[in-house]
Amino acid sequence: MAELYVKPGNKERGWNDPPQFSYGLQTQTGGPRRTPLTKRVAAPQDGSPRVGHPPPSSKDSRPPPMGTCPATGVEPPSSPVTESEALMEDVLRPLEQALEDCRGHTRKQVYDDISRRLALLQEQWAGGKLSIPVKKRMALLVQELSHHQWDAADDIHRSLMVDHVTEVSQWMVGVKRLIAEKKSLSSEEAEQEKSTVASENQYQASNSLPNLGGSPDSLT
């Protein structure tokens, strides 16, 4: 069959010259057929993938190097230390302001003792010696104190002494005394305001009465 594709060569060619193929004969016979590119390839029987994609590089499966963080678009949560400090300021500032309001109405010994207890509260809070339930209840106590809800603030103080006595026993006495002093001050201010309003009303009423007696000159 191979002889059909060989043209008559030069008789004078050497023994090692390559044979000359007939192009026309190849055209007639169509040449060797090739598989069309659009022909669907049957799936292999051994279960191996049909498409010969290269295996994933080992670099893709490596964990990111130390010190790098993938950009996930999610910000890291805020530090609990920062939140604790902010909450501590929200609790201590109103307590210190309430103590300052009582400065001129409270005996110096009581004032100094409350101030010392509040300093101890701040020290234990900053040192991480207070649990989250104690911090939350103290925040509620301060809110009730700021709204002049004395009974509610005293109830929270009592619950802290019952449930967390080991944490709050050293400084809660000062908080209780501060609630009592602030309540007493508020009552005094309310009484003074009532007395002032009553005096003003009496003065206005006396000036609004008509002069029925007339002047001495009008009697002559």
Side-chain angles (χ1 to χ4, degrees), residues 160-180:
L160 284 169
M161 288 296 294
V162 172
D163 298 336
H164 307 279
V165 62
T166 56
E167 293 184 54
V168 306
S169 59
Q170 296 182 357
W171 47 266
M172 184 54 73
V173 177
V175 175
K176 179 183 179 181
R177 189 60 183 269
L178 179 59
I179 295 174

Side-chain angles (χ1 to χ4, degrees), residues 66-79:
M66 297 297 294
T68 60
C69 180
T72 58
V74 179
E75 297 180 358
S78 56
S79 173

Side-chain angles (χ1 to χ4, degrees), residues 91-99 118 121 138 142 145 175 178:
V91 170
L92 288 176
R93 190 181 299 111
L95 294 177
E96 293 173 352
Q97 183 60 45
L99 180 60
L118 294 183
L121 166 61
M138 282 302 301
V142 168
L145 182 64
V175 175
L178 179 59

